[in-house]
Each structure stands twice: as C-alpha cells, then as structure tokens.
Amino acid sequence: MIDYQEADANDLLTKALEHAPDVSAPSDFARRVMARVSHEQPHPALHRARALTPRYGRAAAYGALVITAIAVIVLTFHVRPSASWYASQMVLMAQLGCIAVWIGLASWRSQ
Amino acid sequence: MNRQVSFEQVVREHQDMVFRMLVRLTGTREHVDDLAQQVFLRLYRALPSFRGDALLTTYLHRIVVNVAQDEWKRRKKESDRNTSLSDDIAGWEQRLHHPSPSAEQELETRELQHTVERAMQTLSAIERSVLVLYHQEERSYQQIAETLKLPIGTVRTHLHRGRAKLRSELERWRQGGRR
C-alpha cells in the first residue's frame, strides 16, 4: 500500500534538492583566477588536465595487442611444433586476452 | 600548447558548477567568489599529481567539497550561520521560476526551499556533500564514491540518512512548525 503523504514529501524534497541555486560566476572570474595563477610556478603536466582518459596507456595497449597477434601468427608458421612452442603460444594468447580485457575495462571506466 | 590558455578554458568550463556547489554546500553566497578562486588555485597546484586516472570533474568535485568543508569549519567557529543564511538565501529565491501563477503557492514553494536549505546546514558535511552531488550535480553512486573516496554502500547510507533527516524537517514544516 503506497503512503501517499510519504510519496508527496519525498517528491517535494527531491524537487527542492534538485533545484540548483540560481548563481553563476562573474564574467571576469576566469581572468582574476588566471591573474593569481600567473604568480604560481608553471608545471609540465597541465595538458593531462584536459584528458578524460590516459591515452598513452591505451595507445601502448593497442600496440602491444597488434604486436602480440602478429607474433603468434608469424611464429605459428615458422616454428616447428613442439611442447615448448605450444606453451609459448598459450602464454602469448593469455597476454592477448589480458590486453583485450584491460582495454575493455579502461573504456568502461572512462564512460 | 599554451598552458595558461588551457587552464583558463578549464576555469571557464567549470566555474558555474563550482559556484553552484559552493552556494549549496555552504548555504550562503558570502565569500563564494573567494572560495571558488581557492578551488581553482588548489586545482592548479594539484595538477602535477593528477595522473588522469579519474575524470577532471571528479577531481574538481573533491576539491570543492574540501574547500566547502574548510569554510564550514571556519563559519562554525564564528557561529554566525543562521543570520547569513536568511540574508543570502532570500536573495536567490526571488529568482525561483515556478510554473504556478498562484502567489500563495509561490510563497509556499519559497518557504519550502528555504526550509530545505536551512535543514541542509544541520546535516553532517558528508551527508550534505552526498546530497548535493547526487541531486544537484546528478552524479552516480560510483562517481560520488570516487569523489569522496568512500565505499558505494557508505554513499547510499549517507544519502538515505540525509534525506531522512530533511524529510522529518519538512514534515515538521508542513505540520505548521514553521520558524
């Protein structure tokens, strides 16, 4: 049974909480912040603030994926089948899988 | 790349959000400009250690919450919270847009907003932060957990408790206990 008074109170409360204050930054705010910031030491990592995801990591992952896949294919045709080759192949396949999972998780986290 | 221009773009992109959050978290417009400047200064100084493993907005929210908490502690010491609240909240409430043309309903809405704002200041800093991040900034539980460095379960608990406290305050107001 729905308690309509409870639902009404919840509704009112949610609306009040979602109603953001009608306030915005003054037009010269950014200029004043930059005036203060200009006295600070410049730092080399500012470009990272604009990145939503660590792209260098993802680029390295894609590169490793391609290299590992090529290595598996090339070696399959050029190495004589043996127990040690099969073991190496399994390791390479496992590495491929780990890289793929990492890329998937990184994409999911960046959303 | 011009680093100064990049950071200015970051400021312009997020300044309104910072102002809105600070007003709601501190319950007043007093010193908001100074507080907002502090937020961006802290962001600028912290950028060398920002590894991009979280969204910039998550990082910024964290700084806003910390600055607001510091301000809250400072104001608590001065114990002048109630006076400044009633002075400042009335100001922006004038600009409330409400679809109903009824003056009485508009007044009631304004009073309701005022009651909720006042009750928000009685919550703990964490409860207040969670409510603002969830309702006003529409962050998910996961994002709030990352911002405040809390487990998701704890975030839910704080949200639930904060809402329960505000609801009881609201009930008191509705039953005629207006102050």
Side-chain angles (χ1 to χ4, degrees), chain A residues 68-69 72-73 86-99:
Chain A
T68 309
V72 168
I73 294 166
Y86 286 135
S88 304
Q89 208 174 27
M90 289 301 112
V91 169
L92 283 171
M93 295 299 284
Q95 283 179 336
L96 264 175
C98 288
I99 294 168

Side-chain angles (χ1 to χ4, degrees), chain A residues 9-85:
Chain A
N10 270 326
D11 224 21
L12 284 175
L13 178 60
T14 301
K15 279 180 186 162
L17 289 170
E18 287 176 356
H19 186 276
D22 185 16
V23 63
S24 55
S27 54
D28 65 339
F29 178 76
R31 183 186 54 77
R32 284 186 281 117
V33 168
M34 295 314 294
R36 287 182 75 170
V37 146
S38 63
H39 297 301
E40 302 276 331
Q41 286 291 328
H43 54 80
L46 185 59
H47 67 281
R48 285 188 291 194
R50 301 290 289 164
L52 294 180
T53 56
R55 300 193 186 280
Y56 61 88
R58 193 171 293 183
Y62 281 126
L65 198 68
V66 168
I67 290 168
T68 309
I70 291 172
V72 168
I73 294 166
V74 166
L75 290 173
T76 301
F77 290 107
H78 289 87
V79 172
R80 197 181 312 165
S82 65
S84 56
W85 163 237

Side-chain angles (χ1 to χ4, degrees), chain B residues 4-118:
Chain B
Q4 296 289 333
V5 171
S6 293
F7 189 71
E8 187 170 352
Q9 285 169 346
V10 170
V11 174
R12 288 189 189 282
E13 210 172 298
H14 299 286
Q15 59 188 17
D16 287 346
M17 179 272 288
V18 169
F19 268 73
R20 279 197 313 267
M21 274 193 71
L22 285 171
V23 167
R24 182 55 66 86
L25 285 172
T26 61
T28 176
R29 288 183 174 219
E30 201 178 324
H31 306 311
V32 165
D33 196 288
D34 288 338
L35 295 176
Q37 287 191 42
Q38 269 185 51
V39 166
F40 286 107
L41 278 174
R42 287 195 194 186
L43 176 67
Y44 190 82
R45 289 168 192 153
L47 281 175
S49 57
F50 178 65
R51 289 188 297 274
D53 52 352
L55 291 176
L56 181 64
T57 44
T58 301
Y59 208 62
L60 197 50
H61 281 144
R62 195 179 295 155
I63 297 175
V64 171
V65 166
N66 289 337
V67 167
Q69 286 183 4
D70 290 345
E71 172 66 7
W72 175 247
K73 285 174 194 167
R74 186 192 70 79
R75 284 169 50 209
K76 243 182 154 180
K77 285 179 189 172
E78 292 176 2
S79 298
D80 198 21
R81 188 164 74 239
N82 291 331
T83 305
S84 62
L85 196 68
S86 58
D87 286 346
D88 286 278
I89 293 296
W92 65 263
E93 274 190 335
Q94 298 300 325
R95 290 186 287 282
L96 260 180
H97 296 294
H98 199 277
S100 167
S102 157
E104 197 180 316
Q105 268 187 305
E106 198 171 318
L107 179 64
E108 197 169 310
T109 303
R110 213 176 289 163
E111 286 181 4
L112 163 69
Q113 198 71 42
H114 194 176
T115 301
V116 170
E117 289 293 330
R118 192 173 49 206

